Amino acid sequence: MKQRDVRRSLDSCYRRPMRARDRERVLLELQSRVVDEVAKAGRVEEALADAVYHEGRRLKEDRSKTRDQELAFWRDVQSEMRRASERAQQDQLKRVVARYGNEICGQFDERVYNSVTRAGEPVLGLLLNAVSPKKIVSEIFDERHLPRFDASVVLQGEIPLLHKLRERGTLILVPTHVSHMDSIAVGYALWKLGLPPFLYGAGLNLFSNPMLGFFMKNLGAYTVDRRKQDPLYKRVLKEYCTLTLENGYDNIFFPGGTRSRSGAVEAKLKLGLLGCGLPAYTHNLQANKRDKERFFIVPATLSFQLVLEAETLIDDFLKEQGKSRYIITDDEFSRPRRVFDFLTQLFSLDSKIFFTVGRPLDPLGNLVDDEGESLDARGRRVDPTRYLLVDGKPVIDEQRDAELTREVGERLTEAYAKDTVIQCTHLTAHATLNLLRRANAGVDLVRLLRGGGRADDVPLFDLHAEVRRLLDELRGLARRGGVRLGPIALDRDAEEVVADGLRHFSIYHAQPAVTRKGDRITSGDRALLFYYSNRLEGYRLERTSGLRSPLTPDHRALAKGA
């Protein structure tokens, strides 16, 4: 799509993320709802005490510039709470909810967005690389140094339907989560599709880069501080997301919750924010907002040949169970030069990033047809509102809604498996690890990955044969709609697949996952080998490999006895 066509499309369909007047109204409604709910449950004092406790624990480990100011606030809450009346405690709760709401709430500056879209891909390329402000100043007029995103991002799947449904309701885009590059790649894909920015939650650590943080804050991102364990904070976050949906703002949620540490496609989702769709839908039915009542949940997958933070992620995964970090603040994404080098090298091989839009669902997990109407398992149109009625009126029921949201999660994991694009690095790594595991039969997988085994390399001829076997299975699965394959994996021979995988592995990681030495194949970093191999987990390829799956069914831990 040409630049002027994108701008024309934006002019016609532009729904601005969180205008200032909407922001204030949403924050007031947020405060009212949360305080009322807590008060009706008779839990005001308990909620305040929990907030003081959890924030106190968090701030003990905090080293930020705002630590002293935050500590003073919470000490004040604790001091007043002990002698406050019930009414005064509710006022305190309002203060706390307002504080959390203002921390979370994003903003949108139309001037910033217009400047970026007018400047076009050169500035977007710099922005997406998360390079430093100094580099932007020095290179903004020199396009020779910039990775070219335009030819490298492949948009595919249910794209016409995505446009059509956006005219009929509010979209909840739910992509897989591989890398910190995901939110940037998704934002770029939406821009290329002629869609305005969606609201999305970004981890607080992503705002640490001065330039990237500036644009994220002004292009609709709201902050999610995963260090905060206070149940009240999580309630405020969920209610904020619900209110943005009720007000017709399209959202992006990453239901994996965090980047896939193992490298595998998500098979178990965190349903917290995803669960905002049903209450938002029900609230709009109650308010008879016919222009805003429809919601469409749109699965999407992202596929990269290489992953920027792969080394850090798999190292964290392989740590002793229970000691891995949920929040990684010191990975490769935090180093701007590393990001720039990664993308430059990746695109030098004409590597593709695939953004695949899946078939949309309604808030109850039903597929929808081309008109946005819900379909049952037999393909018949159904009215989803009937499942939400009690005595003829739409009612929020937490237990019922939790069960319905679990069903949505199951539909999404099925969509992720079908729409994931398997690339040459994944095939080459999986085949190599299979051969090493067979050659070192009886050696524990963790020991093999950490220290090696009796055999540390395999014949290139055997690798070609194993890739050929995998291709036969995966191509059959792809014909049945069970997976997608990258262009080389789709119709080239095993030798070409391996050659492309080796080329990619040689360009970025300090120690390549797979490398060739004459007619032998070895691994420079077996943990990385495991990471890229895991992208093929979940497709039941172990049935013919003679090997047990190394991951648990949810892909979040090592299987026992692997």
Side-chain angles (χ1 to χ4, degrees):
M1 188 178 291
K2 294 181 179 179
Q3 182 80 22
R4 61 178 177 272
D5 295 329
V6 170
R7 287 201 300 270
R8 188 180 303 116
S9 178
L10 285 170
D11 289 339
S12 64
C13 71
Y14 197 38
R15 191 151 70 216
R16 296 174 179 82
M18 200 49 68
R19 304 181 203 182
R21 64 176 179 270
D22 288 340
R23 184 180 190 273
E24 296 308 312
R25 181 168 50 79
V26 164
L27 287 175
L28 284 173
E29 178 65 19
L30 169 68
Q31 185 185 65
S32 174
R33 278 192 191 177
V34 173
V35 172
D36 285 352
E37 287 173 7
V38 175
K40 284 179 182 177
R43 296 188 60 252
V44 173
E45 185 174 0
E46 182 183 347
L48 287 170
D50 282 349
V52 168
Y53 170 73
H54 285 289
E55 284 297 270
R57 286 192 62 184
R58 178 183 67 83
L59 289 167
K60 281 183 181 179
E61 308 297 325
D62 191 82
R63 295 293 179 268
S64 67
K65 296 178 182 178
T66 62
R67 178 177 182 270
D68 291 343
Q69 182 183 2
E70 290 188 78
L71 278 172
F73 173 84
W74 290 109
R75 285 170 182 158
D76 183 48
V77 171
Q78 185 176 32
S79 175
E80 290 186 17
M81 182 181 67
R82 292 169 180 165
R83 56 179 183 272
S85 65
E86 185 175 335
R87 180 60 181 271
Q89 285 184 349
Q90 284 197 32
D91 289 340
Q92 279 189 303
L93 185 62
K94 287 179 181 178
R95 287 177 59 208
V96 173
V97 171
R99 184 182 184 88
Y100 281 157
N102 279 292
E103 282 180 18
I104 293 167
C105 190
Q107 60 188 28
F108 182 80
D109 190 321
E110 188 174 346
R111 295 168 300 176
V112 174
Y113 185 74
N114 288 339
S115 296
V116 173
T117 54
R118 276 198 301 268
E121 192 176 349
V123 172
L124 278 169
L126 284 163
L127 167 61
L128 300 180
N129 289 335
V131 296
S132 67
K134 181 179 179 181
K135 191 169 190 64
I136 286 185
V137 170
S138 64
E139 295 195 358
I140 197 165
F141 297 114
D142 190 351
E143 297 184 32
R144 293 172 299 172
H145 298 140
L146 303 180
R148 301 302 301 176
F149 277 75
D150 191 48
S152 301
V153 178
V154 178
L155 310 176
Q156 60 184 17
E158 301 281 356
I159 289 173
L161 184 56
L162 180 70
H163 281 278
K164 191 172 184 178
L165 295 185
R166 190 173 182 277
E167 297 174 0
R168 302 187 177 195
T170 302
L171 303 182
I172 304 172
L173 186 67
V174 282
T176 53
H177 202 4
V178 180
S179 165
H180 279 323
M181 294 296 300
D182 295 346
S183 58
I184 298 168
V186 170
Y188 183 78
L190 293 174
W191 178 79
K192 291 298 291 183
L193 290 172
L195 296 171
F198 285 29
L199 295 183
Y200 67 98
L204 192 64
N205 53 308
L206 292 183
F207 290 83
S208 60
N209 180 282
M211 183 57 65
L212 183 62
F214 169 78
F215 281 99
M216 288 174 71
K217 287 175 182 176
N218 287 284
L219 292 179
Y222 56 89
T223 59
V224 178
D225 191 344
R226 296 191 180 95
R227 300 169 304 167
K228 283 183 163 59
Q229 298 302 308
D230 177 17
L232 182 63
Y233 173 82
K234 295 177 181 180
R235 181 190 287 255
V236 171
L237 175 61
K238 187 172 181 179
E239 197 63 54
Y240 172 76
C241 295
T242 300
L243 279 162
T244 63
L245 291 171
E246 287 178 39
N247 282 273
Y249 288 106
D250 303 315
N251 269 256
I252 300 170
F253 299 150
F254 288 99
T258 183
R259 294 166 293 172
S260 172
R261 299 297 200 262
S262 68
V265 181
E266 290 98 324
K268 184 178 180 180
L269 306 180
K270 293 184 179 295
L271 304 175
L273 291 184
L274 186 61
C276 297
L278 264 176
Y281 182 44
T282 307
H283 279 139
N284 281 358
L285 288 173
Q286 291 170 340
N288 200 28
K289 294 182 179 179
R290 295 295 173 185
D291 59 327
K292 295 180 179 178
E293 71 176 36
R294 288 196 175 198
F295 292 88
F296 302 105
I297 299 171
V298 185
T301 61
L302 285 154
S303 181
F304 303 81
Q305 283 266 43
L306 298 175
V307 174
L308 173 69
E309 313 100 298
E311 290 149 308
T312 300
L313 293 172
I314 194 61
D315 182 63
D316 197 58
F317 177 81
L318 291 172
K319 289 183 184 296
E320 185 180 347
Q321 188 71 29
K323 293 187 178 179
S324 61
R325 296 169 291 173
Y326 183 68
I327 307 163
I328 299 175
T329 58
D330 55 350
D331 61 23
E332 291 81 350
F333 192 81
S334 64
R335 294 164 239 167
R337 182 73 242 179
R338 190 80 182 265
V339 180
F340 188 82
D341 289 344
F342 169 76
L343 290 171
T344 301
Q345 293 176 51
L346 190 65
F347 294 156
S348 70
L349 290 183
D350 192 29
S351 192
K352 305 297 183 185
I353 298 172
F354 290 91
F355 176 76
T356 306
V357 178
R359 191 75 186 182
L361 310 167
D362 70 13
L364 283 71
N366 300 304
L367 289 172
V368 300
D369 62 20
D370 289 349
E371 304 304 318
E373 299 297 329
S374 301
L375 303 174
D376 67 12
R378 296 183 180 181
R380 300 171 300 186
R381 285 189 174 184
V382 292
D383 178 9
T385 63
R386 69 183 186 183
Y387 297 97
L388 308 178
L389 302 179
V390 176
D391 296 330
K393 296 180 180 179
V395 172
I396 291 176
D397 181 319
E398 290 187 5
Q399 184 175 354
R400 176 205 66 199
D401 292 353
E403 181 58 37
L404 290 172
T405 300
R406 277 193 289 272
E407 292 182 18
V408 173
E410 291 173 5
R411 300 292 84 74
L412 289 177
T413 57
E414 293 168 3
Y416 291 161
K418 291 192 297 184
D419 287 325
T420 288
V421 178
I422 302 301
Q423 305 216 54
C424 295
T425 47
H426 310 138
L427 279 156
T428 304
H430 195 81
T432 302
L433 185 59
N434 280 354
L435 294 172
L436 286 173
R437 290 178 70 188
R438 291 190 198 119
N440 294 280
V443 178
D444 176 81
L445 177 63
V446 174
R447 180 182 167 192
L448 177 64
L449 298 179
R450 292 300 195 192
R454 298 179 300 275
D456 288 332
D457 60 11
V458 296
L460 177 62
F461 178 83
D462 289 354
L463 178 61
H464 288 156
E466 182 67 6
V467 168
R468 197 172 296 116
R469 184 188 70 79
L470 291 172
L471 285 172
D472 286 344
E473 288 208 43
L474 288 168
R475 286 170 179 170
L477 186 60
R479 285 192 293 270
R480 298 189 296 274
V483 74
R484 291 175 181 260
L485 299 177
I488 294 178
L490 183 64
D491 57 15
R492 305 287 183 87
D493 59 31
E495 287 78 7
E496 290 179 273
V497 169
V498 170
D500 188 70
L502 291 173
R503 275 195 300 272
H504 278 85
F505 281 134
S506 70
I507 64 170
Y508 171 65
H509 296 298
Q511 296 294 325
V514 185
T515 188
R516 178 178 176 177
K517 296 181 178 179
D519 62 352
R520 309 289 293 184
I521 295 293
T522 188
S523 173
D525 187 329
R526 285 180 292 274
L528 267 180
L529 177 71
F530 183 54
Y531 176 87
Y532 286 105
S533 169
N534 284 338
R535 206 62 180 171
L536 269 64
E537 287 300 312
Y539 295 102
R540 303 181 70 185
L541 299 174
E542 65 275 5
R543 292 176 303 171
T544 55
S545 71
L547 298 166
R548 293 180 57 188
S549 174
L551 300 178
T552 54
D554 63 6
H555 296 167
R556 291 182 178 269
L558 287 170
K560 290 183 179 179

Coordinates of all heavy atoms in Angstrom, one line a residue, residues 14 103 175 188 194 196 206 234 239 241 288 311 317 326 328 340 358 381 417-418 420 437 470 499 521 549 557:
Y14 N -10.3 6.8 10.7 CA -9.5 7.1 11.9 C -10.3 7.1 13.2 O -11.3 7.9 13.3 CB -8.8 8.4 11.7 CG -7.6 8.6 12.6 CD1 -6.8 7.6 13.0 CD2 -7.4 9.9 13.1 CE1 -5.8 7.8 13.8 CE2 -6.3 10.1 14.0 CZ -5.5 9.0 14.3 OH -4.5 9.2 15.2
E103 N -1.3 6.0 36.6 CA -0.1 5.3 36.2 C -0.3 4.5 34.9 O 0.6 4.4 34.0 CB 0.3 4.3 37.3 CG 1.0 5.0 38.5 CD 1.4 3.9 39.5 OE1 1.4 2.7 39.2 OE2 1.6 4.3 40.7
P175 N -2.2 -11.3 19.5 CA -1.1 -11.9 18.8 C -0.3 -12.9 19.8 O -0.4 -12.8 21.0 CB -0.2 -10.8 18.4 CG -0.9 -9.5 18.8 CD -1.8 -9.9 19.8
Y188 N 3.5 -1.7 13.3 CA 3.9 -1.4 11.9 C 3.0 -2.1 10.9 O 2.6 -1.5 9.9 CB 5.4 -1.9 11.7 CG 5.9 -1.6 10.3 CD1 6.4 -0.3 10.0 CD2 5.9 -2.6 9.3 CE1 6.8 0.0 8.7 CE2 6.4 -2.3 8.1 CZ 6.9 -1.0 7.8 OH 7.3 -0.8 6.5
G194 N -3.3 0.4 6.8 CA -4.2 1.5 6.8 C -5.0 1.7 8.0 O -6.0 2.4 8.0
P196 N -5.5 2.7 12.2 CA -4.9 3.6 13.2 C -4.3 2.8 14.3 O -4.5 1.6 14.4 CB -6.1 4.5 13.6 CG -7.2 3.6 13.4 CD -7.0 2.8 12.2
L206 N 9.8 -1.4 28.9 CA 9.9 -1.0 27.5 C 10.0 0.5 27.4 O 10.4 1.0 26.3 CB 8.7 -1.5 26.7 CG 8.7 -3.0 26.5 CD1 7.5 -3.4 25.6 CD2 10.0 -3.5 25.9
K234 N -4.3 -5.0 39.9 CA -4.7 -5.8 38.8 C -6.2 -5.6 38.4 O -6.6 -5.6 37.3 CB -4.5 -7.3 39.1 CG -3.0 -7.6 39.3 CD -2.8 -9.0 39.7 CE -1.3 -9.3 39.8 NZ -1.0 -10.7 40.3
E239 N -10.2 -3.2 34.7 CA -11.3 -2.3 34.5 C -11.0 -1.2 33.5 O -11.9 -0.8 32.7 CB -11.7 -1.7 35.9 CG -13.1 -1.1 35.9 CD -14.2 -2.2 35.6 OE1 -14.2 -3.2 36.4 OE2 -15.0 -2.0 34.7
C241 N -9.0 -1.5 30.9 CA -9.1 -2.2 29.6 C -10.6 -2.4 29.2 O -11.0 -2.1 28.1 CB -8.4 -3.5 29.6 SG -6.6 -3.4 29.8
N288 N -27.6 -0.5 26.1 CA -28.2 -0.4 24.8 C -27.4 0.4 23.8 O -27.9 1.2 23.0 CB -29.6 0.2 24.9 CG -30.5 -0.1 23.7 OD1 -30.3 -1.2 23.1 ND2 -31.5 0.7 23.4
E311 N 18.7 -15.9 23.3 CA 19.7 -16.4 24.3 C 19.2 -16.1 25.7 O 19.3 -17.0 26.6 CB 21.0 -15.7 24.0 CG 21.7 -16.2 22.8 CD 22.6 -15.1 22.1 OE1 22.1 -14.0 22.0 OE2 23.7 -15.4 21.9
F317 N 14.5 -19.9 30.8 CA 13.6 -21.1 30.8 C 14.3 -22.3 31.5 O 13.7 -23.0 32.2 CB 13.2 -21.4 29.4 CG 12.4 -22.6 29.3 CD1 11.0 -22.6 29.6 CD2 12.9 -23.9 28.9 CE1 10.2 -23.7 29.5 CE2 12.1 -25.0 28.8 CZ 10.8 -24.9 29.1
Y326 N 10.0 -13.5 35.8 CA 8.8 -13.2 35.0 C 9.1 -11.9 34.2 O 8.7 -11.7 33.1 CB 7.6 -13.0 35.9 CG 6.3 -12.7 35.0 CD1 5.8 -13.7 34.2 CD2 5.7 -11.5 35.1 CE1 4.6 -13.4 33.5 CE2 4.6 -11.2 34.3 CZ 4.0 -12.2 33.5 OH 2.9 -11.9 32.8
I328 N 12.1 -9.7 32.7 CA 13.6 -9.6 32.3 C 13.8 -8.2 31.9 O 13.3 -7.7 30.9 CB 13.9 -10.6 31.2 CG1 13.6 -12.1 31.6 CG2 15.4 -10.5 30.8 CD1 13.9 -13.1 30.5
F340 N 19.6 -2.6 16.5 CA 19.9 -2.1 15.1 C 20.7 -3.2 14.3 O 20.4 -3.5 13.2 CB 20.7 -0.8 15.2 CG 20.9 -0.1 13.9 CD1 19.8 0.6 13.4 CD2 22.0 -0.3 13.2 CE1 20.0 1.3 12.1 CE2 22.2 0.3 12.0 CZ 21.2 1.1 11.4
G358 N -5.7 -14.3 11.9 CA -6.5 -15.5 11.9 C -8.0 -15.2 11.8 O -8.4 -14.0 11.7
R381 N -25.7 -19.8 12.1 CA -25.7 -18.5 12.8 C -26.4 -18.6 14.2 O -27.4 -19.3 14.3 CB -26.4 -17.4 12.0 CG -25.5 -16.9 10.9 CD -26.1 -15.7 10.2 NE -25.2 -15.2 9.2 CZ -25.4 -14.1 8.5 NH1 -26.6 -13.4 8.7 NH2 -24.6 -13.6 7.6
A417 N -1.7 -22.4 16.6 CA -1.0 -23.6 16.0 C -1.2 -23.6 14.5 O -0.3 -23.8 13.7 CB -1.6 -24.9 16.6
K418 N -2.4 -23.3 14.0 CA -2.7 -23.4 12.6 C -2.1 -22.2 11.8 O -1.7 -22.4 10.7 CB -4.2 -23.3 12.4 CG -5.0 -24.5 12.8 CD -6.4 -24.5 12.3 CE -7.2 -23.4 12.9 NZ -8.6 -23.4 12.5
T420 N 0.7 -20.3 12.8 CA 2.1 -20.1 13.0 C 2.9 -20.5 11.7 O 2.5 -21.5 11.1 CB 2.7 -21.0 14.1 OG1 2.2 -20.4 15.4 CG2 4.2 -21.0 14.2
R437 N 19.8 -36.1 20.0 CA 19.2 -36.9 21.1 C 19.2 -38.4 20.8 O 19.5 -39.2 21.7 CB 17.7 -36.4 21.2 CG 17.5 -35.0 21.8 CD 16.1 -34.6 21.9 NE 15.4 -35.4 22.9 CZ 14.0 -35.4 23.1 NH1 13.3 -34.7 22.2 NH2 13.5 -36.1 24.0
L470 N 10.6 -34.4 8.2 CA 9.8 -33.4 8.8 C 9.0 -32.6 7.8 O 7.8 -32.3 8.0 CB 10.7 -32.4 9.6 CG 11.4 -33.0 10.9 CD1 12.4 -31.9 11.4 CD2 10.4 -33.3 12.0
A499 N 20.3 -25.1 4.1 CA 21.2 -24.1 3.7 C 20.7 -22.7 4.1 O 21.5 -21.9 4.7 CB 21.4 -24.1 2.2
I521 N 27.6 -31.6 11.1 CA 26.8 -30.5 11.6 C 26.9 -30.5 13.2 O 26.8 -31.6 13.8 CB 25.3 -30.7 11.2 CG1 25.1 -30.5 9.7 CG2 24.4 -29.7 12.0 CD1 25.4 -29.1 9.2
S549 N 8.4 -35.9 23.6 CA 8.3 -34.4 23.6 C 9.1 -33.9 24.8 O 8.9 -34.3 25.9 CB 6.9 -33.9 23.6 OG 6.9 -32.5 23.8
A557 N 7.2 -25.7 30.7 CA 8.2 -26.3 31.5 C 8.7 -27.6 30.8 O 8.2 -28.0 29.8 CB 7.6 -26.7 32.9

